[in-house]
Amino acid sequence: MSVLRPLDKLPSLNTATILLVGIEDALLQQLADSMLKEDCASELKVHLAKSLPLPSSVNRPRIDLIVFVINLHSKYSLQNTEESLRHVDASFFLGKVCFLATGAGRESHCSIHRHTVVKLAHTYQSPLLYCDLEVEAFRATMAQRLVRMLQVCAGHVPGVSALNLLSLLRSSEGPSLEDM
Amino acid sequence: MDSYDASESTPRQSTSSRPEDYFIGATFLQKRLESVRKQTSFVPTPPRRKIPHCSLLQEDVDLQKVAFLLHKQWTLYSLTPLYKFSYSNLKEYSRLLNAFIVAEKQKGLAVEVGEDFNIKVIFSTLLGIKGTQRDPEAFLVQGLTLLPKLECSGTILVYCNLLGSSDPSTLAFQVAGTTGACHYSWILSKSQLPSENRESKVLWTGWFCCIFGDSLLETVSEDFTCLPLFLANGTESNTAIIGTWFQKTFDCYFSPLAINAFNLSWMAAMWTACKMDHYVATTEFLWSVPCSPQSLDISYAIHPEDAKALWDSVHKTPGEVTQEEVDLFMDCLYSHFHRHFKIHLSATRLVRVSTSVASAHTDGKIKILCHKYLIGVLAYLTELAIFQIE
């Protein structure tokens, strides 16, 4: 199957699965480790991928949240993300996709303007998070945040759904996007 | 500038007083404050820019005067507006700065290995280095060496009336070993050798300029002089001493201006777009690959005419450069490289760009090679400096 769909598999009991997509293996691995260290009521599964489409030979559970990790230092990661976005079904974008921009701390190394990433997130109507994944403390905080988001997207938090969360996150961004 | 954002951008605690107290009308700063209050970040980069043109330089500036600015490696700093600086007091400033430098050197803080020389500082204005009439005049600070005083145990012999030679600068060294065939008279004096005939070597140069700094000029009040770009050539310790004096006297702040890869690719595109009669240097890019244990450098040199041909095929709108054209130009170079070497240059970091017009390094070092586009290059750098100040 070349396109990821959110509801084509049955959910497993008390399990939440997140898919991290990005070209930087080391960073993704570290983020995954931080996430698994968090204590969480549901069982967490973290899948890592360099790009989509995922190989169909592997038997994997239903994916609850996709996080695209874009490294602001390299244009290649942005191109990779844009390529991968084509293989995600439109219904995923109702709160189950999120963009994570890393590397904004070192301004002199950035080759992508933040504007570009903000526009990308706006086009896909998904939240954009910033985190310097190379720094331990920020990574731990971001892992905590992603775990909470994952729980909401998997439906493990009563009363809040992924779409709810999306509209909550969107309202805090404000009307700056009209300036673009 | 530190653009680290936490997951939700925290509101910056900027001035709590109302913006109307500072100026009238919606200016740049007010728009900025509004956007800060909305808890968003202001994105000032325009998606299109003008290609630098050479018109202003030829009107006002004598080529010889700016020739010394070319072909030298300058380190860039951004400078906040100077308080109560006036162009008529330049001599006064020279005097004060000289005194300060002497004091610093005597304190022993600037430890320099080598001969103990004195630096004499001269301020002068550089006419014509400006974008519009509103821009303040650029001025130059040069540190010249004074020749070391000849002192040997209290008496100095200086002048000999040797037959024939009347050039006083050659006399001093012909004293020892003269035969009795010539008249000479000893003069007891402690004066230095006359330095009018010698050229003092320029040890340190720094210049301040502002090209098209309208966005900054609008926001500051009358007492401030806006010269956001500072270029220095010389030893670091001298730059530090002179910088400290400026900071103390005019209540300003220097910070080193680093150029990120995004801006370097803009510079590459704009400078390739410049029309040149003949090319003095090849167009060269340098990338740094972050791999362990040590980083790898990839250097990519293109014949300047080929680069110009590529740019012409990409460029659509005359007189303006857009973000898409810059991206397309760089993507063409990347894909060409990938086809031959299977390396994705877009995953690496652009460190250095050098063309026939100028060359720039990400650490904030720049060398300008072509006088025609001097103003254009400085305009872009001024924009970066202003962006960093804000």
Side-chain angles (χ1 to χ4, degrees):
Chain A
M1 78 177 159
S2 61
V3 175
L4 269 182
R5 279 178 234 279
L7 296 170
D8 59 351
K9 289 197 181 148
L10 289 175
S12 3
L13 192 59
N14 210 28
T15 314
T17 313
I18 183 172
L19 174 65
L20 301 175
V21 180
I23 58 165
E24 315 259 323
D25 292 335
L27 286 180
L28 293 187
Q29 188 65 48
Q30 286 171 332
L31 182 60
D33 291 337
S34 311
M35 284 183 70
L36 291 171
K37 283 200 202 110
E38 293 290 318
D39 52 343
C40 166
S42 20
E43 189 187 314
L44 282 182
K45 287 202 175 138
V46 183
H47 285 243
L48 304 177
K50 255 208 156 87
S51 68
L52 297 175
L54 298 174
S56 49
S57 52
V58 180
N59 191 15
R60 73 177 66 80
R62 180 181 87 159
I63 295 184
D64 296 309
L65 177 62
I66 306 181
V67 179
F68 289 97
V69 178
I70 303 174
N71 190 352
L72 290 179
H73 299 179
S74 94
K75 266 185 172 161
Y76 181 55
S77 84
L78 183 66
Q79 284 168 351
N80 184 46
T81 306
E82 283 169 358
E83 280 292 320
S84 310
L85 278 166
R86 291 199 205 132
H87 297 276
V88 180
D89 185 48
S91 44
F92 243 115
F93 291 100
L94 295 171
K96 297 199 175 193
V97 169
C98 157
F99 294 95
L100 179 60
T102 179
R106 284 196 288 179
E107 178 69 27
S108 59
H109 287 226
C110 286
S111 53
I112 310 175
H113 200 270
R114 251 172 26 187
H115 193 140
T116 319
V117 176
V118 171
K119 209 160 167 182
L120 178 71
H122 182 62
T123 318
Y124 285 96
Q125 304 283 335
S126 298
L128 173 64
L129 306 172
Y130 290 97
C131 177
D132 226 340
L133 287 178
E134 288 155 28
V135 182
E136 178 70 45
F138 300 149
R139 198 168 57 225
T141 321
M142 181 51 66
Q144 234 178 24
R145 194 162 179 201
L146 285 177
V147 166
R148 298 288 165 261
M149 277 179 73
L150 176 60
Q151 283 188 303
V152 169
C153 292
H156 294 183
V157 177
V160 189
S161 73
L163 204 48
N164 249 342
L165 185 62
L166 180 63
S167 41
L168 263 179
L169 285 175
R170 198 158 354 134
S171 64
S172 66
E173 264 164 40
S176 73
L177 300 168
E178 275 91 53
D179 291 338
M180 295 185 206
Chain B
M1 91 184 201
D2 294 327
S3 57
Y4 174 73
D5 279 311
S7 28
E8 242 131 20
S9 55
T10 52
R12 295 226 316 263
Q13 303 299 331
S14 55
T15 57
S16 53
S17 52
R18 295 169 336 148
E20 290 88 290
D21 293 336
Y22 289 94
F23 48 80
I24 304 163
T27 65
F28 181 83
L29 192 56
Q30 186 177 36
K31 280 189 245 154
R32 189 94 205 296
L33 281 173
E34 275 167 11
S35 66
V36 167
R37 271 187 263 136
K38 279 190 223 152
Q39 296 186 22
T40 57
S41 55
F42 188 65
V43 181
T45 304
R48 47 186 63 229
R49 271 201 189 89
K50 290 219 157 38
I51 297 177
H53 51 103
C54 57
S55 59
L56 285 160
L57 185 60
Q58 282 155 353
E59 287 162 17
D60 291 317
V61 181
D62 198 7
L63 181 56
Q64 280 85 27
K65 291 207 191 114
V66 292
F68 72 94
L69 297 175
L70 305 175
H71 298 284
K72 265 206 201 131
Q73 170 123 320
W74 301 102
T75 311
L76 295 170
Y77 292 87
S78 70
L79 178 61
T80 58
L82 301 164
Y83 184 60
K84 289 213 159 57
F85 176 82
S86 93
Y87 289 94
S88 45
N89 286 353
L90 294 181
K91 282 209 166 38
E92 173 81 14
Y93 296 146
S94 310
R95 204 174 50 80
L96 289 171
L97 185 51
N98 279 327
F100 183 78
I101 290 177
V102 166
E104 285 287 323
K105 296 234 156 142
Q106 279 178 350
K107 262 198 260 184
L109 287 176
V111 179
E112 300 219 13
V113 179
E115 74 272 15
D116 175 55
F117 47 75
N118 299 317
I119 289 198
K120 189 163 110 70
V121 168
I122 300 181
F123 280 58
S124 50
T125 51
L126 283 174
L127 296 169
I129 311 267
K130 45 157 65 167
T132 62
Q133 286 307 324
R134 267 184 78 184
D135 291 332
E137 285 288 345
F139 72 94
L140 173 72
V141 177
Q142 279 182 310
L144 309 164
T145 49
L146 292 172
L147 298 162
K149 302 185 185 187
L150 284 184
E151 287 180 359
C152 27
S153 64
T155 62
I156 302 176
L157 50 89
V158 178
Y159 298 106
C160 295
N161 289 325
L162 289 178
L163 300 168
S165 69
S166 56
D167 185 8
S169 61
T170 59
L171 290 176
F173 299 110
Q174 292 170 352
V175 173
T178 48
T179 63
C182 57
H183 282 284
Y184 54 90
S185 52
W186 291 90
I187 302 175
L188 272 172
S189 90
K190 283 207 184 121
S191 64
Q192 291 169 285
L193 294 168
S195 55
E196 296 93 28
N197 295 335
R198 286 179 201 255
E199 296 205 355
S200 330
K201 215 171 70 157
V202 174
L203 266 196
W204 187 91
T205 319
W207 49 297
F208 300 73
C209 68
C210 173
I211 317 278
F212 296 116
D214 290 334
S215 56
L216 193 60
L217 287 168
E218 274 168 27
T219 62
V220 300
S221 62
E222 285 302 315
D223 292 333
F224 287 91
T225 315
C226 278
L227 289 162
L229 189 61
F230 173 59
L231 299 97
N233 172 315
T235 56
E236 269 301 310
S237 53
N238 286 336
T239 312
I241 295 178
I242 295 178
T244 321
W245 181 79
F246 269 95
Q247 282 175 175
K248 279 207 264 195
T249 320
F250 300 113
D251 195 24
C252 57
Y253 183 67
F254 284 87
S255 56
L257 183 66
I259 310 175
N260 65 22
F262 177 74
N263 290 321
L264 280 177
S265 58
W266 263 95
M267 284 181 185
M270 291 203 300
W271 296 344
T272 315
C274 296
K275 249 201 287 282
M276 303 262 301
D277 301 325
H278 67 108
Y279 293 99
V280 298
T282 56
T283 306
E284 197 179 315
F285 297 84
L286 188 71
W287 278 275
S288 157
V289 184
C291 61
S292 56
Q294 73 233 46
S295 69
L296 183 69
D297 284 333
I298 299 177
S299 159
Y300 186 176
I302 315 171
H303 193 281
E305 280 166 25
D306 293 337
K308 183 83 170 72
L310 175 65
W311 174 258
D312 288 335
S313 63
V314 165
H315 186 52
K316 299 282 176 311
T317 49
E320 272 188 338
V321 180
T322 61
Q323 177 73 50
E324 289 84 27
E325 286 168 10
V326 174
D327 286 339
L328 191 53
F329 179 68
M330 296 306 287
D331 284 340
C332 291
L333 298 176
Y334 291 154
S335 54
H336 179 79
F337 196 83
H338 179 70
R339 207 168 82 214
H340 289 277
F341 299 102
K342 298 286 175 254
I343 295 180
H344 287 279
L345 279 177
S346 45
T348 61
R349 181 167 78 102
L350 183 57
V351 161
R352 191 163 172 268
V353 165
S354 87
T355 61
S356 300
V357 171
S359 90
H361 190 278
T362 191
D363 289 337
K365 301 207 191 323
I366 186 150
K367 196 191 272 202
I368 307 178
L369 301 170
C370 173
H371 67 274
K372 254 171 62 173
Y373 295 103
L374 178 66
I375 298 284
V377 170
L378 292 175
Y380 187 70
L381 294 172
T382 314
E383 196 179 321
L384 290 182
I386 292 177
F387 183 59
Q388 189 180 29
I389 295 172
E390 293 157 0

